[in-house]
Amino acid sequence: MTKLTQAQIETALAGLPDWKQTGHTIRRTYTFEDFNGALKFVNAVGKLAEKAGHHPDIDIRWNKVTLSLTTHSEGGLTANDPKLAAECDRVKM
């Protein structure tokens, strides 16, 4: 998998307005009604990640879940990252 150029990252993020680039990662925080809602979301994301073979860093803080995506093996963002980000957004909807 090839790392995305900055222009490609910006194009991908244009379709993912709640995701922000921080260095070599993209990150989004989701807010839920309560801890149980956050856990349900994390479990759904876990299933997507396993299926994709691409795993986000996950931080849970009561009703907030922050996902960070990067392709560690490539040292930056690849097409896998915005693809999984979009799938995670669909879970939240």
Side-chain angles (χ1 to χ4, degrees):
M1 181 108 329
T2 306
K3 284 188 352 182
L4 298 175
T5 65
Q6 188 58 41
Q8 290 170 317
I9 293 167
E10 290 169 10
T11 298
L13 290 179
L16 300 165
D18 295 316
W19 288 82
K20 304 295 180 226
Q21 182 180 5
T22 305
H24 296 295
T25 67
I26 55 173
R27 177 174 296 172
R28 178 179 176 185
T29 299
Y30 299 84
T31 302
F32 299 88
E33 186 173 321
D34 55 21
F35 186 69
N36 192 46
L39 285 178
K40 286 180 181 178
F41 174 72
V42 167
N43 286 328
V45 167
K47 289 178 185 177
L48 287 174
E50 280 297 303
K51 184 177 177 183
H54 192 59
H55 304 91
D57 291 334
I58 301 172
D59 180 46
I60 305 170
R61 308 280 172 138
W62 187 63
N63 71 332
K64 293 184 179 5
V65 176
T66 300
L67 301 181
S68 296
L69 289 164
T70 191
T71 304
H72 296 286
S73 62
E74 298 300 323
L77 296 164
T78 67
N80 286 341
D81 300 299
K83 180 180 177 187
L84 185 57
E87 290 176 16
C88 292
D89 282 354
R90 284 190 287 278
V91 168
K92 174 63 167 115
M93 295 177 163

